[in-house]
Amino acid sequence: MNLEQLRSFVEVARFGNFTRAAEELYLAQPSLSRQIAALEHDLGAELFHRARGGSTLTTAGESLLPLARRMLADAESVRRELAELAGLDRGRVRLGATPTLCISLVAEVLSAFHAEHPAIELHLSEQGSRRLLDELAGGELDLALITTTDASTAERFTVTPLLVEELVVISSAGAPPITARDTIELADVAALPQIVFSSTYDLRSATDAAFRAAGLAPEVVLEGAEMDAVLRFVERGLGVAIVPAMVLVDRPGLRSVRLETPGLGTPALERSISLACAADVAPTAAVEVMRRTITASATSFAARAGETMRLAGERRGVSGATVEPR
């Protein structure tokens, strides 16, 4: 068994088709077929159910796939680490982040990192937290900025909390305020026309759960939008939205108000942002520098977001930061 065979196996599994995998690998299909056959012979098990309509993984193939991805990722990490030790001015960092972080914190991180290390190749995956963890486990990412974790992540990943962020209600700065108070209750928000995110957003799951727990059914005027579209629609007065306080930085067209749960005070909704990496993979020098850049940028960006909310509060006669660095 060698890396070339494993790479061929992973590509056939990805496409479910030998012809397309061969094209992706710039191989003749007979050569690819021989590699897979040799791998199956070495392992003593068939890896694919071959049919005219395509190839699907057998039980053995399904077991091998995550291991093959990890072995290829480890081999690539070793190659990059040796290149860096040899003094080569090159490298690669594969970062994953949720959509809400991509338009706020990640933009700051990548800008700062690229300014200091312009020769390092950057790859970004924009997905929900659970999908990012899957990509991290499969060796497709070096680092992931996530907003949700569960108990099963503890053994497979090293998860470092960065900050706790409050969710706020936004409306158009060009329209009358949605409330004269410095906070608004969830029940009052439910009665306002809302723009809600795609069901793939972790943020959507959190807000849906909060409304259900309160026995509320929000009035939705637009559903399924991505973050940038939501902000633009709100700026134009189409409705309100519940978003992380962090996205308010450099958005003068938006007005914000804090959420309140009766009897509990504020914040009513918040999320934890953490940095995850595979527990069993040693980071390259480039990845370690990216990790330090993310940590420093998170602290700085949290302070800016808190200042944005404080200034917005002063315009309403209140004060208080809403993003708390860890």
Side-chain angles (χ1 to χ4, degrees), residues 7 9 27 78 92 100 103 105 118 146 246 264 274 277 311:
R7 191 171 292 108
F9 164 71
L27 288 174
V78 170
R92 181 181 69 173
T100 56
I103 70 162
L105 175 60
I146 59 174
M246 193 178 290
L264 298 180
S274 301
C277 61
L311 292 174

Side-chain angles (χ1 to χ4, degrees), residues 156-178:
R156 296 182 297 161
F157 308 109
T158 299
V159 179
T160 305
L162 295 178
L163 53 91
V164 176
E165 184 177 29
E166 183 177 345
L167 303 183
V168 297
V169 183
I170 58 170
S171 60
S172 173
I178 58 176

Side-chain angles (χ1 to χ4, degrees), residues 220-270:
V220 175
V221 294
L222 179 64
E223 180 178 12
E226 301 296 322
M227 173 58 77
D228 191 58
V230 167
L231 299 180
R232 290 179 183 277
F233 292 149
V234 173
E235 284 176 338
R236 285 157 176 75
L238 187 61
V240 304
I242 299 176
V243 301
M246 193 178 290
V247 305
L248 293 170
V249 173
D250 299 328
R251 291 275 183 174
L254 295 173
R255 190 194 310 273
S256 66
V257 62
R258 305 178 73 186
L259 274 166
E260 178 181 2
T261 299
L264 298 180
T266 56
L269 283 172
E270 61 183 24

